[in-house]
Amino acid sequence: MRTRRGLRVLSVYEGFFSGGARIVHTDVVLGLAEGGQSHRVLSIHGEVHREATRQRMEDDHCYRALTAGGVGVTSLGRSAGLVDGAVAASVFSGPELAETARAMAGADVILSLKEQPLALLNQGGLPRRPVVVGLHRSDPENQGPALDELRAGIAEGKVAAAVCCAESTRRAYEAAGIPGEVLHVIPNGVDLLRYRPDAAARLGFRSSLGIEPSAPVVVFAARYAGMKNVPLFLRAARTWLAQEGGGHVVMCGAGMTDTNPALRTDIEAAFAGDRALTDRVHLLGVRHDMEAVYAGSDVVALTSVSGEAAPLCLIEGMMCGAVPVTTDVGDSASIVAGLGFVTPPDPGAIALTWSAAISARAELAPALELSRERFSRTRMIAAYAALLDEVYASHVGGQWVAAQHAVGDAVPPLPVPEDDAAQYALAGEPGLLQGPLLGEVLGLGVGLDAHHGGVGEEIADEL
C-alpha cells in the first residue's frame, strides 16, 4: 500500500488546447510530481480545432511542459468531435475503453480536468478508482451533458470530490444540485518566480512590437470565445485609443490573430476601418512568454460577461505588475479588491478605468507586492496534495469508508471476497478492489450501459 509520497495519479484531459483550466491543472500535476507522487495523463483527443485554430497535442505548451517534467502523456487519438466547444459523442469503442482501463488500473486516484471527461470515466466496466474533478467555471448550466455526467458520477459513487477554483464555482455547482460536502475550494495560484515584475522583459517586449518605453499598454489575454465578450473589449479599446494618442492594445490567446475571420469582423465593426487606431492594436495569438507580455503591460483587462471563476489572466498579470481592470464576473471582484478596478460592461466606463488604472499603477505597486503569497502556486499544490491524500485514505477496496487515519498514513486494504475474486483485476495491488472489468471492455465490442447509450450533445463554450 502506498503512502502519500508514492501516490499514483492519472489525470484525464478532454484534449490539449489553450485555456486557463489546462494551464492550472498542468501546473498542479507538475507540482505534485515534483513532490514525489507518480503522475500520468490520458487525453481523449489528440487534436482539436477551436477558436479558429488547429491545436495538435504535441504542439501544445502544456503537453510539452508535462513531458519535459517526466510526466507520461498518452491519447486515445481522437481528432474529430471537439469543434469550438462541442464534445465528442459519449460512445467509446472497445479499444478506447481497453486503453482507458489499463491506464486507470495503474492509478490510485483519478483527476478529471473539468467534468467533460466523465463521459468516459462514467462508462461501465472500468476499474473502480476514486475520481476528483477539477471545476473551473461558474456556469454549470452551460456545460451541457457534462453537468449530468457529474451528477451521475457522484450518484454512482465514482466521483469522490470536486475541486472548485473559486467560491463562485462552489456556489454555482451547489445551486445546480451538487452536494456541498463534495465541493472543495482551492483558489488558483501561479509560479511567483516566473510571474513577477521584470524591467528587462518589459523593455524587450515593448521593443519587439515597436512600442515606446513610456507608452501606456493594455493587454487582453483570452481565447476568442463568446464568454470573453471580445466585441465589448474592442469597443472599449477604440474609445481608449482615441483618447490616449500614444496608447497600445495587445491581444493574445487562441484565435487572437488576423487569420481569424470572426475577429477581423469584430475589429471592423468596432473601429469602422480607422487605421490610425487599429495600427496600435497588436494581435499576437498564442504566446508562451506571457510573463514578458504582462510585464510589458500597464493594465490587464477582462471583459467577460459569464462563465469565469478565478481568471488566470488577472492573477498572472497582477503578479507581473499590471493593474487588473475587470467586469464583475465569477470571483474577479474579490480577486482584484484593493489591487485593481471593477467596471460595468460599458465601453466608455471601461476606457476611463483603464486610464485611471495606469495613473494609479505606481500607487498600487506596494499592495500588489504584498499580495503575492496569497496567489502562490505552492499553496495551491499543497492543498491539492492534502485533498488527494484524504480521498485515497478514505477509499479502500472500492468502498467508501470513514477516514480514520492521518492524511498520508498507509491504510490497510479490505480483502477481495473469494466469490468475486474472478471479476476483479488486481493490477499489482493485492487485496485492492479495482472494479469489475467486463470481458467486452478488453475486446472490440463494448455494450454501453443505459446511462451512456446515446450520442453526446454539444457543450457551450468551455474554458
Side-chain angles (χ1 to χ4, degrees):
M1 184 61 63
R2 286 162 181 78
T3 58
R4 170 172 58 185
R5 185 172 177 81
L7 195 69
R8 303 172 304 178
V9 182
L10 173 69
S11 282
V12 182
Y13 287 36
E14 192 179 8
F16 281 87
F17 43 89
S18 295
R22 254 142 293 274
I23 293 171
V24 170
H25 191 100
T26 297
D27 203 23
V28 167
V29 169
L30 289 170
L32 293 172
E34 290 164 2
Q37 293 183 358
S38 175
H39 281 257
R40 291 177 298 121
V41 171
L42 173 66
S43 176
I44 296 174
H45 288 80
E47 176 182 312
V48 299
H49 188 273
R50 290 167 51 100
E51 291 89 42
T53 307
R54 177 175 176 263
Q55 302 179 60
R56 295 176 62 249
M57 181 176 78
E58 293 81 3
D59 298 332
D60 184 80
H61 186 65
C62 289
Y63 169 85
R64 293 181 175 180
L66 288 167
T67 54
V71 175
V73 181
T74 57
S75 171
L76 298 184
R78 291 190 170 196
S79 59
L82 184 60
V83 180
D84 288 335
V87 70
S90 59
V91 176
F92 294 87
S93 68
E96 288 176 328
L97 289 176
E99 184 170 351
T100 302
R102 285 191 290 269
M104 292 178 69
D108 301 310
V109 179
I110 310 297
L111 268 176
S112 175
L113 171 50
K114 302 186 85 261
E115 56 269 61
Q116 279 74 17
L118 293 175
L120 171 62
L121 296 175
N122 280 349
Q123 295 289 327
L126 294 175
R128 292 285 292 194
R129 293 293 186 276
V131 177
V132 177
V133 183
L135 302 176
H136 295 268
R137 294 283 293 260
S138 61
D139 57 345
E141 69 281 358
N142 290 330
Q143 299 306 293
L147 178 58
D148 291 333
E149 294 287 359
L150 178 59
R151 291 178 178 133
I154 294 170
E156 295 166 10
K158 296 178 179 179
V159 173
V163 176
C164 304
C165 71
E167 285 290 344
S168 56
T169 301
R170 181 192 61 77
R171 291 193 300 269
Y173 277 83
E174 192 166 12
I178 303 303
E181 61 270 19
V182 174
L183 302 170
H184 305 260
V185 178
I186 300 179
N188 286 344
V190 301
D191 184 350
L192 298 181
L193 294 178
R194 177 183 178 189
Y195 293 99
R196 57 186 177 80
D198 187 327
R202 178 180 177 85
L203 186 61
F205 172 72
R206 286 168 171 252
S207 177
S208 71
L209 297 179
I211 299 174
E212 292 294 324
S214 61
V217 175
V218 173
V219 61
F220 184 66
R223 58 192 178 85
Y224 185 84
M227 65 175 280
K228 303 297 182 179
N229 206 341
V230 175
L232 173 60
F233 174 82
L234 289 170
R235 292 196 300 273
R238 187 191 191 288
T239 300
W240 183 73
L241 289 170
Q243 296 169 351
E244 294 279 354
H248 290 258
V249 165
V250 172
M251 301 177 70
C252 50
M256 297 299 183
T257 68
D258 59 8
T259 61
N260 180 355
L263 178 58
R264 291 200 307 268
T265 299
D266 289 343
I267 291 174
E268 177 61 30
F271 287 86
D274 191 335
R275 289 294 302 275
L277 299 182
T278 57
D279 283 349
R280 290 186 279 136
V281 176
H282 307 267
L283 305 179
L284 304 184
V286 176
R287 299 278 297 213
H288 301 312
D289 61 342
M290 287 305 301
E291 65 275 21
V293 176
Y294 290 129
S297 303
D298 300 298
V299 168
V300 54
L302 185 74
T303 55
S304 297
V305 291
S306 65
E308 301 283 3
L312 200 59
C313 65
L314 297 179
I315 299 172
E316 292 175 343
M318 287 193 301
M319 295 302 96
C320 292
V323 178
V325 177
T326 178
T327 46
D328 188 3
V329 58
D331 275 22
S332 296
S334 62
I335 288 172
V336 308
L339 306 171
F341 299 85
V342 178
T343 70
D346 174 78
I350 293 170
L352 287 174
T353 308
W354 289 349
S355 294
I358 292 167
S359 299
R361 186 165 176 263
E363 180 182 342
L364 289 170
L368 288 170
E369 179 63 28
L370 289 173
S371 74
R372 290 178 64 78
E373 184 178 349
R374 170 187 167 196
F375 299 106
S376 166
R377 167 189 192 258
T378 303
R379 169 207 42 80
M380 174 181 69
I381 292 170
Y384 267 90
L387 178 61
L388 291 178
D389 292 341
E390 181 181 345
V391 166
Y392 179 61
S394 302
H395 186 269
V396 181
Q399 302 177 36
W400 295 109
V401 299
Q404 299 174 346
H405 301 262
V407 169
D409 286 353
V411 182
L414 296 178
V416 179
E418 284 188 22
D419 293 343
D420 296 335
Q423 301 181 51
Y424 291 85
L426 298 181
E429 191 69 45
L432 179 62
L433 292 183
Q434 309 280 320
L437 289 175
L438 304 180
E440 293 90 346
V441 171
L442 299 178
L444 295 180
V446 178
L448 301 178
D449 59 31
H451 181 62
H452 293 96
V455 175
E457 304 170 33
E458 292 191 351
I459 304 181
D461 208 16
E462 185 198 355
L463 179 66

